[in-house]
Amino acid sequence: MRIVLLGPPGAGKGTQSERLRARYHIPQLSTGDMLRAAVSAGTPIGLQAKAIMDAGHLVSDDVVVGIVADRIMQSDAQNGFILDGFPRTVAQAEALDSMLISKAMRLDGVIELDVDESVLVSRIHNRALETAARGGVVRADDKPETVKARLDAYKAQTAPVSDYYARHGSLRRIDGMMPIDEVTDQINRELDTLVGSAAMASSRS
Ligand code: AMP
């Protein structure tokens, strides 16, 4: 099962990816997590990405595409994966298509979580408060001014990715403002339908 999970920051991609990981026993590949790991490890990519991430902007397509290309070749991703936070630009979506074609792979589904901007802002704010209350480290990019930059980047650069998949792939839009379990049920239903139709199509050919 190869799934792309699209949606703005705070839409619940991390939570739902975790549930998909448990359901399908496939890894969650979060480019945000991979980049944060590179920043913490002080790798050349991390050093390059840190200021861009702290400002809420997007890291360059070349860097992110390179990370994903390496990651999907690892053994745990051979039976599938959930891409969380990638692709975030149409150029990344095109690069992913080429990558998958060259490996004779394809996406089984693209799920987009729709959430109103005001809800996103308050979710991210609450997440930061809860993390601080637990004594955890609040993400540098969860500061209000950076959240605005991240949402602007989403609207300008990532929203066109959902149009791309509406034209080229199996996009399913889901109301991400429903209770968490209902979002999960809806995602599962959509993926079951997509996989069922693909199986019927291949049995006919
Ligand atoms: P996330 O954890 O998905 O919210 O990502 C945190 C930050 O990492 C983003 O605000 C970007 O700066 C960077 N990032 C993550 N994924 C990508 C991507 N696919 N393309 C460019 N930048 C990314």
Side-chain angles (χ1 to χ4, degrees):
M1 192 71 162
R2 295 182 196 91
I3 306 164
V4 165
L5 207 48
L6 292 178
K13 298 190 298 298
T15 305
Q16 298 299 334
S17 293
E18 181 54 37
R19 292 176 173 205
L20 288 168
R21 191 188 65 71
R23 185 179 194 225
Y24 292 106
H25 308 288
I26 50 177
Q28 167 199 7
L29 310 185
S30 154
T31 42
D33 286 349
M34 292 183 235
L35 288 165
R36 279 185 289 278
V39 170
S40 304
T43 66
I45 284 180
L47 294 174
Q48 200 187 327
K50 185 178 183 329
I52 301 170
M53 294 171 72
D54 285 351
H57 299 146
L58 292 188
V59 175
S60 78
D61 290 336
D62 287 354
V63 166
V64 183
V65 167
I67 293 179
V68 171
D70 289 345
R71 185 62 186 86
I72 66 172
M73 289 315 290
Q74 290 177 19
S75 57
D76 65 336
Q78 297 319 298
N79 290 329
F81 46 76
I82 306 139
L83 283 170
D84 160 6
F86 179 92
R88 255 178 161 97
T89 64
V90 171
Q92 291 178 17
E94 289 169 345
L96 177 62
D97 277 350
S98 313
M99 229 184 269
L100 293 175
I101 288 169
S102 73
K103 298 178 199 334
M105 293 175 174
R106 61 175 185 78
L107 290 176
D108 295 289
V110 179
I111 301 288
E112 180 178 26
L113 300 178
D114 279 333
V115 178
D116 289 350
E117 186 162 331
S118 59
V119 175
L120 298 170
V121 171
S122 71
R123 278 187 188 176
I124 297 172
H125 179 64
N126 290 339
R127 177 171 77 187
L129 291 180
E130 283 162 17
T131 306
R134 278 198 311 272
V137 180
V138 175
R139 278 174 51 167
D141 60 357
D142 275 351
K143 288 194 295 257
E145 60 277 22
T146 317
V147 168
K148 183 177 179 319
R150 288 163 65 203
L151 291 171
D152 288 348
Y154 185 83
K155 279 184 272 186
Q157 290 160 281
T158 310
V161 175
S162 84
D163 299 334
Y164 175 88
Y165 283 121
R167 287 195 305 274
H168 295 97
S170 313
L171 178 75
R172 296 290 185 272
R173 290 197 173 98
I174 289 175
D175 176 3
M177 290 182 292
M178 296 186 295
I180 294 176
D181 288 346
E182 283 180 38
V183 174
T184 306
D185 289 346
Q186 183 76 38
I187 293 175
N188 290 344
R189 273 198 295 275
E190 294 291 2
L191 290 174
D192 288 347
T193 309
L194 284 167
V195 170
S197 350
M200 270 170 62
S202 76
S203 71
R204 276 199 300 267
S205 60

